[in-house]
Structures are given as C-alpha cells and as structure tokens.
Amino acid sequence: MKNFSHGDLVIPRLGFGTWKLKGDDAIDAVKIALDTGYRHIDTAAIYENEKEVGLALKEGGVAREDIFLTTKIWNDDIERSRIADAADRSLDHLGTDYVDLLLLHWPMTSRPIADQVQELAEVKKAGKARAIGISNYNASQLTEALDACPDLACLQAEYHPELDQDPILNVVRNADMLFTAYSPLGRGDSLKHQVVKDIAEAHGKAPGQVVLRWMIQQPNVAAIPKATSREHIEENFDIFDFELTDEEMKKIFALVEPDGRIIDPDWAPQWDTGVAA
Ligand SMILES: NC(=O)c1ccc[n+]([C@@H]2O[C@H](COP(=O)([O-])OP(=O)(O)OC[C@H]3O[C@@H](n4cnc5c(N)ncnc54)[C@H](OP(=O)(O)O)[C@@H]3O)[C@@H](O)[C@H]2O)c1
C-alpha cells in the first residue's frame, strides 16, 4: 500500500509537491516533510525552487538513497533538443548526481513524441536518472511514447475526485506504470464536498486525508499533495491507519464533474474525454 514497485524502483505512493513554494518557505516545508516521514519529493525546473529543495535534502538528515526525488524538464528545453543540458542544470541546482525520476513536463507538438522520449532515455542511459517518465500527455500521446520507449515508468497528470482520468489510467495500468496524481486535493476544492466531510467524520479523519486515501487505494496511483504549514504537511501524511470501504470509494468517484479540470494552459494537448464529459 505504501509503495509502488516498478522493476527495481520502489516509489512511495504519497509524495510531497513543491509547486509555488519558494525561498525559505520551500526549504522549511521540505524539511518538515522529511521530518514527518515523506520520502518522495516532487519539483521541476520551472518551479524555480530546485536549489532550495536540494538544500533542504542536504540539511534534512535523510540519506540520499532513501529519498525518491523527481524533477521535470521545461518546455523550451524539450522543444530545442536540450534535454540533457537541462537535466545537468537541474542536477547542479539540486546538488545531486542523479534524480530518481526525470519527467518531460508537457508534450511539445513541434517535435515527434518519439524523439522527445528517446532524447530523455539518453539521460537515463548516462546514469543521471534512475527512471524516466512524462507529464500531461493524453492517452494517444502516451501510447505513442510507450511505442518509442517502453521503459517509461511514470505518467504524472492532474487527478482529483472532480476529474475523470479513466482513459489514460487504463493505458498506464496496462503498461504497469505509475500514475502520479498532481493537484490531488483539487488545490483545496476537493475538501469542500459534504460527502467527503461525512466520510471523514465517520473515520475520525480530516477531508484531505479521505481524498488522499481514496487516491492511493486505487491501483497504480500515487499522490503528491503540496502544503505549506506543518499542520497540513503532517495531516496529509497520516493516511495509513484507516481504509475506505468500496461504498465510500464509489461515493467519491461519483463527485466527478464534466468540467473538473483545473490546469489547462494554452500549450496543453487535446485532453481525453472521460465518461463524465
Ligand atoms: N506536472 C505538472 O504539470 C504539475 C501541475 C500541478 C502540480 N504539480 C505537482 O503536484 C503538486 C500538488 O499539486 P497542487 O500544488 O497544484 O495542488 P494540491 O496539492 O491539490 O493542493 C494544494 C493546496 O491545498 C492546500 N492544502 C494542502 N493540504 C491541506 C490540508 N490538509 N487541508 C486543507 N488544505 C490543504 C494547500 O494549502 P497550503 O499550501 O497553505 O498548506 C494548497 O493551497 C504540486 O505542488 C506539484 O509538485 C505538477
């Protein structure tokens, strides 16, 4: 339950997201997360906090090999075939020789998908990433990427109770990859449903804990909630001492909305249409 295995990789199914955490807030939050027990940390070049994340990892007192560290290559470096250089820059900022998972942040339409993932695979071959994956691909792009590079271990994409991700979850599960859910709390909005509050009360838990538990009880799914305060960071990690029933899982699945997506920038691909749309 706590980990997902892929080959010789062991990936904690609850990680810590760092988007929007900057400067001392980023250092403090990552240190609190390590102190709480998180061993999976998610950052990206575009978050402009890799140096702070790296510093927190150095000062956090946890051995590097016990941490699962993910970063992501930003779009212009993917478009201009600079993935290897961008990876070196990230490693330099993070103060480490390797990341555990290196993702392409978004699919770029200006280059064939096969070229993008094969260029990424070279970074793994060079020993600078233990595993590779992609983020924000749709189901057909993921299929194309897997055809060119069956070695992809992870797809990271938006997922929370309001958003149906079944089409791409099916592709991920068939390939025995990990689906890492970003914005797993719906950026806070998923905690407001009465159904979630009622289930939380029945278990003596908080609404956020119910949503995160719902996530990790699904096959091949991990979640990377972001939080700033110690209270939220600790609360989000305390989800391994209770279990949702099938009935409760279904009630949360029923919260899906046709327009439940939150993150949809101009450069996003044509998203898959879920059953709710
Ligand atoms: N690959 C991509 O394109 C992509 C896109 C988006 C996000 N991500 C990754 O996914 C991570 C998580 O997504 P996210 O940051 O968008 O959203 P999220 O984790 O769903 O939600 C974060 C928000 O929820 C609040 N929160 C956290 N714990 C809470 C709790 N226990 N009770 C009440 N509120 C709580 C946080 O407040 P406080 O901060 O004030 O505690 C923050 O406002 C990111 O940090 C990033 O690492 C990746």
Side-chain angles (χ1 to χ4, degrees):
M1 167 58 69
K2 277 196 163 179
N3 297 313
F4 176 82
S5 294
H6 182 95
D8 60 356
L9 286 183
V10 178
I11 310 172
R13 286 163 63 114
L14 190 74
F16 185 67
T18 66
W19 185 29
K20 305 264 184 207
L21 287 168
K22 293 270 180 89
D24 286 346
D25 282 348
I27 299 173
D28 292 347
V30 173
K31 280 189 183 170
I32 294 170
L34 293 175
D35 199 33
T36 303
Y38 292 80
R39 293 293 179 267
H40 171 171
I41 309 289
D42 182 84
T43 182
I46 196 71
Y47 299 170
E48 295 181 339
N49 64 12
E50 288 178 314
K51 283 186 182 162
E52 288 78 7
V53 168
L55 200 64
L57 294 179
K58 279 238 148 54
E59 293 176 355
V62 178
R64 172 68 188 88
E65 60 270 25
D66 292 335
I67 292 169
F68 190 90
L69 177 61
T70 302
T71 196
K72 314 182 193 85
I73 306 283
W74 188 243
N75 299 348
D76 45 359
D77 288 319
I78 302 171
E79 278 198 305
R80 292 176 198 164
S81 296
R82 295 188 308 223
I83 292 174
D85 288 349
D88 283 343
R89 202 164 53 238
S90 283
L91 293 180
D92 184 44
H93 288 166
L94 287 162
T96 183
D97 296 337
Y98 68 96
V99 285
D100 296 278
L101 181 61
L102 185 65
L103 302 176
L104 298 180
H105 211 138
W106 290 86
M108 293 291 103
T109 50
S110 55
R111 298 179 65 192
I113 293 271
D115 292 358
Q116 298 174 50
V117 290
Q118 279 161 358
E119 193 183 331
L120 179 70
E122 292 301 316
V123 180
K124 184 184 170 207
K125 261 194 214 149
K128 295 175 182 177
R130 289 181 65 219
I132 50 173
I134 67 254
S135 178
N136 295 303
Y137 277 42
N138 65 27
S140 74
Q141 288 169 326
L142 174 57
T143 304
E144 204 179 328
L146 281 165
D147 283 345
C149 182
D151 194 27
L152 297 171
C154 172
L155 168 88
Q156 184 177 128
E158 181 176 337
Y159 190 34
H160 40 76
E162 299 80 11
L163 181 64
D164 180 6
Q165 285 286 30
D166 274 355
I168 198 153
L169 268 165
N170 287 336
V171 180
V172 166
R173 289 188 181 124
N174 283 336
D176 202 24
M177 297 169 71
L178 179 69
F179 183 108
T180 303
Y182 77 62
S183 306
L185 302 171
R187 314 208 78 202
D189 284 353
S190 305
L191 317 189
K192 295 176 187 152
H193 301 283
Q194 193 56 46
V195 169
V196 172
K197 289 183 185 168
D198 289 346
I199 296 172
E201 202 181 326
H203 287 276
K205 286 287 183 182
Q209 293 173 318
V210 166
V211 171
L212 295 172
R213 182 72 205 188
W214 170 80
M215 202 67 87
I216 64 157
Q217 273 186 221
Q218 298 175 48
N220 299 57
V221 176
I224 47 167
K226 170 257 182 184
T228 309
S229 64
R230 180 178 284 275
E231 187 195 346
H232 284 168
I233 294 170
E234 289 181 348
E235 182 178 293
N236 295 345
F237 196 71
D238 184 18
I239 61 166
F240 296 103
D241 62 349
F242 75 114
E243 198 170 338
L244 298 177
T245 63
D246 290 348
E247 195 58 33
E248 289 168 336
M249 292 290 287
K250 274 188 204 148
K251 282 186 182 168
I252 302 173
F253 277 116
L255 295 172
V256 69
E257 294 168 9
D259 54 354
R261 191 175 291 279
I262 302 169
I263 310 263
D264 194 15
D266 293 346
W267 56 84
Q270 173 89 46
W271 298 114
D272 302 306
T273 312
V275 284

